Amino acid sequence: MKILVIGSGGRENAIVSAIKKSKKNTEIFCAPGNGGTAEIAANVPLKQDDIKGLLSFALENKIDLTVVGPEIPLSLGIADEFTAAGLKIFGPDGKASLLESSKKFAKDFLKKYNIKTAGYESFTDFQTAENYAGQKIHPLVIKASGLAAGKGVFISENPEESKKILDSIFNEKIFGKSGETVVIEDYVEGFELSYMIVADGTTYKPLITSMDYKKIGDGDIGENTGGMGAVTPNPYVSEDLVNKINKTVIEPALEGLKNEGIKYKGILYAGLMIKGDEIFVLEFNVRFGDPETQAILIRLESDIIDLFLSVINENLKDHELVFDDNKSICLVLASGGYPKDYKTGYEIFFDKELHSSGLISENGAEYHIFHAGTKKIGGKYFTDGGRVLNICAKGEGAETADIVYAIAEKINFENKYYRKDIGKIYVRP
Ligand code: GLY
């Protein structure tokens, strides 16, 4: 079976690894891939936004299944193009992808279907937005409506800061077209939860819960990032809460999508804030979270290819989705300076005893090293992005964090940066 995975992050490396574990006979391609996928798949030098190029590649190479990692190709309608060409693709269509590619669309959708979300207004010009922000109680959340690689959300502490943020989005245009509309929403305090389900248009099944560490600094301070680490399960989440999320967020959202004429097929990721008994939807993503997925997929026991096919063929109800009972953790090693400016091209030195995947460490944890922003040149690895490597482990608890932090010390590159508190609240009490 020929499978194409689109993307170049740690998430895609984890997806390729999960596919590799299938008992099916597979030939895997990854476009454009990274230094890690180069080891276990054939990297294809096509960019994630080159929809025409990807379609030609898939047709010419008779690809049986395409799996889309990132949001950009989904927002460009790759699923529509591939499906129209008779190809099997995992990922929602362009219209469904508006849930992620337009924060305004998502907020209006939530409001229309009575799904709890923070109060908000959207704006298309600096002055009106600044007047509004100036009168609001702070902190306030300011979001670029379009895609911004996880960097388009700001928490502003006072009106002066709001003015600066709005100026940078509307006037300096730091997000280009993605910042033409801005959503300003009330700040909700609570604990954050990444909740993902997989849907086939009729049925849905939840993945295991996870928690993302979005801020760059220890103790959750500083800039927002794509995610600096993750743990599964989310330590704060009870079965009751999961049931409540399904009833008050997931089911009304899937019904709402149907009502809008959207058959939602793929992963739906709800970024939630839990405040007491209340569940607020902060955002929707239309794809696997990164780095949550790395921590989730190392616990997947059932065949991921069967999962993808059951969604495409709309028989998810017959698919048995099985995860093991471990706890897991993912630590992101980043380029110093990320999420702002950083340099790449530094050689990465791995301790010789390290192997990339599925090995049991001395303390009993199973660890995996996934590549994100790396490239392989002539047998050597070099940094090639903000988030460089993901070190993941699963086991009973604290030993998983011990092993990922021990491995982090055994991998070296110039300006290596990572948070020191990933998993602290539960696997590292
Ligand atoms: N880790 C957050 C995201 O994938 O959007």
Side-chain angles (χ1 to χ4, degrees), residues 89-108:
I89 185 161
F90 180 81
D93 65 23
K95 194 169 174 199
S97 302
L98 279 171
L99 274 184
E100 177 164 2
S101 61
S102 167
K103 302 265 182 292
K104 176 173 164 21
F105 176 88
K107 294 290 285 190
D108 293 347

Side-chain angles (χ1 to χ4, degrees), residues 191 193 195 209 236-249 274 276-277 279:
F191 76 85
L193 163 61
Y195 188 72
T209 61
Y236 296 115
V237 177
S238 63
E239 215 179 302
D240 276 358
L241 182 56
V242 165
N243 290 335
K244 198 168 166 194
I245 293 167
N246 288 337
K247 290 277 166 278
T248 62
V249 175
I274 315 293
D277 277 352
I279 302 167

Side-chain angles (χ1 to χ4, degrees), residues 9-12 212 226-227 287-294 387 390:
R11 168 183 51 207
E12 287 74 28
D212 187 14
R287 39 113 192 137
F288 282 112
D290 184 349
E292 298 96 314
T293 298
Q294 292 84 309
R387 293 189 290 175
N390 304 150

Side-chain angles (χ1 to χ4, degrees), residues 133-145:
Q135 289 160 16
K136 292 289 288 184
I137 294 173
H138 284 67
L140 265 188
V141 184
I142 302 179
K143 295 177 173 176
S145 180

Side-chain angles (χ1 to χ4, degrees), residues 306-367:
D306 289 341
L307 172 67
F308 293 143
L309 291 176
S310 74
V311 168
I312 294 165
N313 298 329
E314 300 178 20
N315 56 11
L316 178 62
K317 69 173 181 350
D318 299 328
H319 175 75
E320 211 186 333
L321 180 61
V322 186
F323 294 94
D324 68 29
D325 289 331
N326 286 299
K327 288 178 174 173
S328 67
I329 183 167
C330 174
L331 173 69
V332 172
L333 302 191
S335 299
Y338 172 81
K340 288 188 164 164
D341 295 338
Y342 56 84
K343 289 194 179 133
T344 59
Y346 296 119
E347 187 170 353
I348 306 170
F349 301 97
F350 293 88
D351 187 294
K352 283 200 175 56
E353 293 151 27
L354 290 180
H355 297 268
S356 60
S357 230
L359 286 187
I360 306 297
S361 69
E362 277 167 21
N363 70 8
E366 177 185 315
Y367 72 85

Side-chain angles (χ1 to χ4, degrees), residues 138-165:
H138 284 67
L140 265 188
V141 184
I142 302 179
K143 295 177 173 176
S145 180
L147 296 176
K151 294 173 208 158
V153 178
F154 300 86
I155 295 166
S156 164
E157 297 297 336
N158 54 56
E160 293 72 46
E161 199 180 340
S162 292
K163 186 175 177 181
K164 270 194 201 134
I165 294 165

